[in-house]
Amino acid sequence: MSSREMIVLNVGGVRFVTRVSTLQQFPESRLARMVHDNDREFKLENGEFFVDRDGALFSYIMDFLRTLQVSLPTDFSDYQRLQREAEFYGLYPLADLLSQEHLLKPRLEILEVRFSLQEMQTFFRIFGSCSTTIEALAGQITVFTGQQSGQGWNSPFPSQKPLVPLPLERPSHHDLVFLCGTECSAGDQFMARYVSIKPDNRKLINGTNVLGLLFDTLLKDGFRLISTRTVASEEKVECYTFERMKRAAGLAIMVNQTPGSSGVAQARRSQVQKGK
């Protein structure tokens, strides 16, 4: 049978159609040998190879052979069963990767937003259990500052004077601080701070509006609000806690084969791209 030809497998009643070359990604595996060897577990009937195994789990094995990556749903839990299936088919590199369950399981990510409204200014502090998320938010949030006269400080739109972007405060890798609103400067001048959160292009000065835009941004990124509480009633500090399930960096694992390796694979973890 040519490696370009198609082959049909019936795994526990579920049919899979693929190329012989796909099954031969790992030449020493049972799947690669079944085409030529007389394996009693694989019965050739009506042009299809039948094997009495779990068809649903075999779909993940086929995905691995086609992409050379382990990509599992966020709610997947049958790691040990899938590992046994990989061992049955002689796909030991895949079985070894599945044994590292702690690398493959998604983890819970927590984000906390503290909001404090004081006179004409609003203070924000964002804490996150994942530093990469905080880094991404810091790249989305920009604070602009500029002077305005007393008659126009509360305008919802920035003045025609140029606004200067300010760097966000980063007390640590896990939090960031910024504020919006106005404060007195000299005479009838006020220093105004506007906040912009990408991909929204608006520059907002009202703290409540900024909070709403921040909430929308987090919800669109997969977070959900789980609690609201008052941290300090005298200072009017409100705390909003969000959470989301985030895939681990090792969920997609690329397996590289070197020429002449006879199925011996080297594994490395690759970062999953999820927008952020």
Side-chain angles (χ1 to χ4, degrees):
M1 181 178 291
S2 169
S3 62
R4 295 183 180 180
E5 292 183 10
M6 309 300 289
I7 190 170
V8 180
L9 291 89
N10 186 328
V11 183
V14 183
R15 296 176 75 252
F16 296 88
V17 181
T18 186
R19 295 181 181 273
V20 174
S21 58
T22 300
L23 299 180
Q24 292 177 334
Q25 289 279 12
F26 298 88
E28 295 180 354
S29 71
R30 202 170 189 177
L31 286 171
R33 299 196 311 268
M34 78 172 188
V35 178
H36 303 291
D37 295 350
N38 184 18
D39 192 324
R40 64 180 183 178
E41 293 288 350
F42 297 87
K43 295 184 62 177
L44 184 59
E45 297 181 355
N46 300 322
E48 299 181 2
F49 284 92
F50 174 79
V51 57
D52 190 16
R53 303 294 296 191
D54 192 310
L57 291 178
F58 190 74
S59 64
Y60 300 118
I61 290 176
M62 282 304 308
D63 183 66
F64 171 74
L65 291 173
R66 287 167 174 155
T67 65
L68 296 183
Q69 297 184 19
V70 181
S71 299
L72 302 174
T74 304
D75 59 351
F76 185 81
S77 60
D78 290 334
Y79 294 95
Q80 292 184 350
R81 290 182 59 210
L82 184 55
Q83 182 183 349
R84 287 199 300 268
E85 294 299 297
E87 291 171 349
F88 171 83
Y89 293 110
L91 295 171
Y92 297 108
L94 174 58
D96 290 342
L97 298 177
L98 290 167
S99 68
Q100 304 178 63
E101 188 175 328
H102 64 286
L103 297 178
L104 303 175
K105 281 187 173 181
R107 65 181 184 274
L108 183 65
E109 182 180 356
I110 301 296
L111 194 74
E112 185 179 274
V113 177
R114 294 197 175 190
F115 171 85
S116 176
L117 183 60
Q118 299 178 13
E119 296 183 353
M120 295 184 296
Q121 294 189 37
T122 306
F123 295 83
F124 292 85
R125 188 162 192 168
I126 304 176
F127 301 84
S129 60
C130 179
S131 60
T132 56
T133 298
I134 296 298
E135 192 69 33
L137 279 174
Q140 286 182 271
I141 300 172
T142 306
V143 176
F144 297 90
T145 184
Q147 282 192 335
Q148 292 188 355
S149 65
Q151 295 179 347
W153 70 266
N154 59 352
S155 170
F157 304 102
S159 67
Q160 297 301 316
K161 296 180 181 179
L163 296 177
V164 179
L166 291 176
L168 302 179
E169 292 184 43
R170 295 294 306 277
S172 74
H173 293 296
H174 289 273
D175 60 341
L176 60 89
V177 177
F178 62 93
L179 60 88
C180 64
T182 61
E183 61 181 337
C184 292
S185 182
D188 65 344
Q189 296 294 310
F190 289 82
M191 182 64 68
R193 286 184 174 87
Y194 299 86
V195 175
S196 176
I197 305 178
K198 297 177 182 177
D200 194 294
N201 294 320
R202 292 173 297 171
K203 295 180 176 65
L204 304 176
I205 195 171
N206 182 280
T208 303
N209 293 340
V210 173
L211 182 66
L213 180 57
L214 179 60
F215 275 26
D216 288 343
T217 302
L218 294 176
L219 293 174
K220 289 178 181 178
D221 201 32
F223 284 97
R224 66 185 187 96
L225 180 65
I226 59 172
S227 71
T228 301
R229 71 182 191 276
T230 301
V231 178
S233 57
E234 294 181 359
E235 298 178 359
K236 300 180 180 179
V237 179
E238 301 293 331
C239 179
Y240 304 90
T241 304
F242 296 81
E243 71 173 17
R244 73 174 173 182
M245 293 301 294
K246 184 178 181 181
R247 289 190 173 190
L251 187 58
I253 303 179
M254 183 70 70
V255 176
N256 296 328
Q257 289 182 285
T258 57
S261 62
S262 299
V264 177
Q266 295 179 340
R268 66 176 175 85
R269 289 193 292 165
S270 62
Q271 181 71 38
V272 176
Q273 296 299 326
K274 196 173 180 278
K276 287 215 176 222

